[in-house]
């Protein structure tokens, strides 16, 4: 029988040798992966096609509101791009989507008088002077219209739901509620500010309607101070009367707030001609490259093809769509055949219903998805990825993302994935989202400024390369 210390020594030696063996293999593997990732970035930056594809999507097709002619054109165009990559296959998945139409430009104005102009003396019997100020507004998506005469009434300005809840219903009844809740500029990531303020856009009409208001106005969801109102989806509840809702530009919100503090005898009118008709049939666009070693394991990467109608949907989410297709092109150009199946999905109706993602989950939700990634945060400089998965899987993903440190895209600190893959996340699928720099995104988000000219070619290409790199790593090594 050998002494205990000799037995311990042998175990230590074996473990040390095994560790050195693993370390050598890991180093070789990382070097191989690093070299391939360098090839991905070279292909994206030197021969990339996503920027030109985005130009066509924006300038030749334009906005892609659900149910519109533009959306249907974009379906055919993006499927054609997938087919032209020459790798894998593509098909259209039928989806029934809502059809909401703006119906023409919106109008908003306040008539009012100032206290000093209301004074009437025996020697000065001039009639009271009424002033009129116009404000830039846009109907919120899925709102009802006002009718051609518009809706008019006194305005109640509130900074929060709590402030509205504290008011007596009789005081709010037949008034127009103005939610003047700005983005929190102290939050460094602007998506945090959007998450906090977005509830006023989405539920403002419900909260105001419950109190008896006749309409709701919401401050635009942006830190920018300009005259461009930002639209976006809002909701109704069957138990609460439906009232029209619009967004006012940030400059308009500041001006209206100032006037309400000093004006008397005021009356606000706004007119919007939007309406919702019957649902229509449309499609998700899907591409797929079958895995060579584990074809039953599916890696999904997606973006949403629809956009709002005020502009071209360049950042939201045209950028994501062309980045997803660029991954297919890059893999073909480099001759890469993934070990696991990669599925590329351009979802319908993310902006006002998530019908595309629901349809995908119903049809393909039982497939063995090992990871789902979305690009829906703009075509700005990539910083890393937000993640929705277990701590153990986050550690694995972070080890892959570490290889993107030379490209400044290795951050993995934030939590969560995108809206279209949230249903898969609920089913237990690990998810993630490309995390670009957020500082400029809400300057143009859902507004007339979301145009091709506000997308930078190199930033867009860097995002496509970052997505391609992590998808390559997961395809090779799993998650």
């Amino acid at each position: 029988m050998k002494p205990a210390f000799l037995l311990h020594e042998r175990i230590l030696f074996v473990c040390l040798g095994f560790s050195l063996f693993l370390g050598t293999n890991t180093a070789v593997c990382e070097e191989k992966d690093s070299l391939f990732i360098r090839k991905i970035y070279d292909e994206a930056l030197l021969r990339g096609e996503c920027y030109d594809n985005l130009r066509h999507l924006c300038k030749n097709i334009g906005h892609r509101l659900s149910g519109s002619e533009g959306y249907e054109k974009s379906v055919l165009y993006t499927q054609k791009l997938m087919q032209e990559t020459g790798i894998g296959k593509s098909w259209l998945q039928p989806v029934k989507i809502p059809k909401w139409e703006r119906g023409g430009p919106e109008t908003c104005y306040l008539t009012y008088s100032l206290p000093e102009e209301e004074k009437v003396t025996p020697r000065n019997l001039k009639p009271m002077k009424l002033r009129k100020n116009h404000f830039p507004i846009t109907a919120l998506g899925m709102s009802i219209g006002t009718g051609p005469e518009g809706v008019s009434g006194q305005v109640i300005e509130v900074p929060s739901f709590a402030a509205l809840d504290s008011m007596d219903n009789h005081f709010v009844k037949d008034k127009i509620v103005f939610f003047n809740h700005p983005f929190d500029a102290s939050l460094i990531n602007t998506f945090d500010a959007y998450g906090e303020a977005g509830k006023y856009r989405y539920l403002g009409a419900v909260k105001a309607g419950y109190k008896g208001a006749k309409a709701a106005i919401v401050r635009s969801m942006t830190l920018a101070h300009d005259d461009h109102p930002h639209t976006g989806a809002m909701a109704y509840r069957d138990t609460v009367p439906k009232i029209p809702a619009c967004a006012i530009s940030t400059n308009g919100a500041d001006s209206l707030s100032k006037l309400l503090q000093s004006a008397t005898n005021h009356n606000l009118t706004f007119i919007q001609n939007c309406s919702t008709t019957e649902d229509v049939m449309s499609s998700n666009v899907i591409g797929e490259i079958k895995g060579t070693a584990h074809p039953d394991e599916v890696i999904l990467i997606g973006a949403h093809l629809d956009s709002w109608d005020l502009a071209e949907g360049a950042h939201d989410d045209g950028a994501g769509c062309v980045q997803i297709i660029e991954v297919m092109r890059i893999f073909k150009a480099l001759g890469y055949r993934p070990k696991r199946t990669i599925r590329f999905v351009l979802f319908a109706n993310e902006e006002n219903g998530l019908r595309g993602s629901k349809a995908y989950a119903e049809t393909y939700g039982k497939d063995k998805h090992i990871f789902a990634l979305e690009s829906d945060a703009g075509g700005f400089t990539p910083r890393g990825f937000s993640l929705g998965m277990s701590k153990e899987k986050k550690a694995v993903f972070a080890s892959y993302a570490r290889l993107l440190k030379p490209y400044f895209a290795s951050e993995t600190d934030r939590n969560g994935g995108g809206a279209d893959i949230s249903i898969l996340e609920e089913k237990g699928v690990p998810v993630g989202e490309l995390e670009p720099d957020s500082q400029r995104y809400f300057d143009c988000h859902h507004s007339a400024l979301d145009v091709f000219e506000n997308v930078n070619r190199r930033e867009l290409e860097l995002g496509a390369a970052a997505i391609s790199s992590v998808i390559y790593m997961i395809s090779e090594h799993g998650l």
Side-chain angles (χ1 to χ4, degrees), residues 83-103:
Q83 292 170 341
E84 288 176 349
T85 63
I87 186 171
K89 61 180 180 177
S90 66
W91 67 95
L92 302 182
Q93 180 192 10
V95 182
K96 182 175 281 191
I97 59 176
K99 186 176 177 64
W100 176 86
E101 295 178 300
R102 186 167 301 280

Side-chain angles (χ1 to χ4, degrees), residues 244-272:
C246 68
I248 186 171
S249 72
T250 48
N251 281 352
D254 291 340
S255 177
L256 176 59
S257 178
K258 187 176 180 180
L259 282 172
L260 292 176
Q261 294 172 26
S262 58
T264 60
N265 193 35
H266 80 263
N267 187 77
L268 186 135
T269 299
F270 77 85
I271 303 169
Q272 55 189 40

Side-chain angles (χ1 to χ4, degrees), residues 112-114 117-118 126-131 264-265:
Y112 63 96
S113 59
L114 297 175
E117 296 175 341
E118 293 181 1
K126 292 181 180 179
M128 181 176 62
K129 180 180 180 181
L130 280 180
R131 294 173 178 264
T264 60
N265 193 35

